[in-house]
Amino acid sequence: MVGVLDIHKLDKIFKPKRIALIGVTSNPKSVGGKILRNLVTGGFQGVVYPVNIDFEAVQGIQCYDRLQDIPKQADLGIICSPAPQVPELVRQCGEAKIKGLIIISAGFKEIGEIGEKLEAQISKELRRFPDMRIIGPNCLGIIIPGLKLNASFSTGLPKKGNIAFISQSGALCASVLDWALDKNIGFSYFVSIGNTLDVDFGDLIDYFGEDEDTHSIILYIESINRVRSFMTAARAYARSKPIIVYKSGKFKASAEVAASHSGAMATEDSIYDAAFQRIGISRISEIGEIFDYTEMMGCKKT
């Protein structure tokens, strides 16, 4: 389990007051355009700073040339620029003392060797700024209903609830979100973590395990990079907060899909089964059960 100070570093991501949206364009249908619309129309009470040197304004909001031009230091940076630009932008964010980053951009290890090299460059930049934490790359973003914050390119803001939903698959996040909006299911946090270059399942279990508004945690896992931290965090909280997991890759077809999402490699399924049982996690075997468990948890009296 990570220390209290390490958990606190994630506050810049999950409790932001000022957000820099980096790489946003004038196209409202682009990823950056959708994120900006969600940020400014969902009721978020913080400040949003679009950043792109090519535009004076985006969707009627002043656009800043550089991070240094932002009038107040941002807590959270959201990067949606093309993948080759991302390592340099991470460096600029670190120099601007932005401590939380969400990298929406795709084109990293999920595409092969070229993308792996870009992720290695991001990791190198991240090591220069020990107080910085990164979600992504190749992710949908995050949604925090309690803050009316939709920092993703998926439409819709679910109601506030007590379930933390964490997924490596952005496509699954979108499906669950659409279903939850239709069923009026609430969440404390809704997180797409993509390739888990930095922040991973163990970090988030630790963080949400300490969160009073989160009563249960649902995970969609394609692979676990840091097994020890995952096991330690899950063991610490599984008894007090139910943790439900769907692990993809149990069958050959789903393993191939998982690899296309996050560069994950199929692992012996029996090892995961044994590990989950040992630490008290409940595993579900059918993808549809995610919806069943989410509805069951969402309908529990709190």
Side-chain angles (χ1 to χ4, degrees):
M1 188 166 55
V2 299
V4 174
L5 292 177
D6 291 320
I7 293 175
H8 184 67
K9 290 178 182 178
L10 296 181
D11 283 346
K12 296 297 183 181
I13 295 175
F14 294 112
K15 298 178 182 178
K17 296 180 180 178
R18 293 180 290 274
I19 300 174
L21 181 57
I22 304 158
V24 63
T25 73
S26 60
N27 180 2
K29 295 183 179 181
S30 67
V31 168
K34 291 177 180 178
I35 295 172
L36 180 59
R37 184 184 64 243
N38 288 338
L39 288 172
V40 300
T41 63
F44 175 57
Q45 296 299 301
V47 181
V48 180
Y49 302 116
V51 180
N52 192 323
I53 196 171
D54 295 327
F55 302 98
E56 184 174 347
V58 179
Q59 297 183 31
I61 303 171
Q62 179 183 354
C63 199
Y64 295 88
D65 290 348
R66 303 171 302 167
L67 287 167
Q68 296 92 322
D69 299 328
I70 293 175
K72 291 188 177 181
Q73 181 179 316
D75 302 307
L76 172 64
I78 303 175
I79 298 176
C80 46
S81 302
Q85 300 176 16
V86 173
E88 169 63 17
L89 291 172
V90 171
R91 181 186 65 80
Q92 292 178 18
C93 287
E95 292 176 345
K97 302 188 185 304
I98 297 175
K99 296 180 180 179
L101 286 183
I102 300 173
I103 302 176
I104 304 291
S105 316
F108 295 93
K109 72 178 182 181
E110 77 278 3
I111 69 166
E113 184 178 354
I114 294 175
E116 289 176 356
K117 290 180 179 179
L118 286 173
E119 283 202 20
Q121 292 174 30
I122 295 173
S123 295
K124 182 179 179 181
E125 296 296 340
L126 179 61
R127 288 193 292 271
R128 297 177 57 191
F129 308 102
D131 289 333
M132 179 188 287
R133 300 303 309 267
I134 295 175
I135 286 181
N138 183 35
C139 70
L140 185 78
I142 68 172
I143 300 174
I144 308 173
L147 298 180
K148 297 189 182 300
L149 173 62
N150 184 350
S152 80
F153 57 91
S154 186
T155 303
L157 182 68
K159 71 177 185 179
K160 181 180 178 181
N162 302 113
I163 305 166
F165 183 88
I166 310 165
S167 171
Q168 281 177 313
S169 168
L172 180 71
C173 279
S175 296
V176 172
L177 181 61
D178 287 343
W179 171 85
L181 289 167
D182 182 61
K183 294 288 187 178
N184 199 32
I185 300 296
F187 298 93
S188 54
Y189 299 90
F190 195 93
V191 185
S192 166
I193 57 176
N195 293 2
T196 60
L197 179 146
D198 176 36
V199 175
D200 62 9
F201 287 107
D203 295 313
L204 295 175
I205 291 171
D206 269 321
Y207 189 81
F208 300 142
E210 292 292 327
D211 178 63
E212 293 181 356
D213 291 330
T214 298
H215 297 175
S216 58
I217 301 171
I218 297 179
L219 312 175
Y220 175 89
I221 295 175
E222 292 173 349
S223 66
I224 300 174
N225 297 331
R226 292 179 277 276
V227 175
R228 181 171 295 180
S229 66
F230 172 84
M231 296 279 285
T232 302
R235 185 183 291 112
Y237 294 105
R239 290 184 178 180
S240 58
K241 296 188 179 184
I243 300 177
I244 311 298
V245 60
Y246 176 86
K247 168 66 178 70
S248 69
K250 187 168 186 177
F251 304 105
K252 184 176 184 296
S254 59
E256 292 172 351
V257 171
S260 70
H261 282 157
S262 63
M265 299 299 290
T267 305
E268 285 294 330
D269 196 67
S270 59
I271 297 175
Y272 279 103
D273 263 340
F276 294 151
Q277 291 176 18
R278 180 178 178 184
I279 58 182
I281 286 180
S282 299
R283 183 177 185 180
I284 55 179
S285 57
E286 299 291 338
I287 193 70
E289 292 183 76
I290 287 180
F291 299 96
D292 295 336
Y293 272 87
T294 304
E295 186 168 24
M296 180 182 70
M297 297 294 184
C299 292
K300 278 188 175 183
K301 293 183 179 180
T302 58

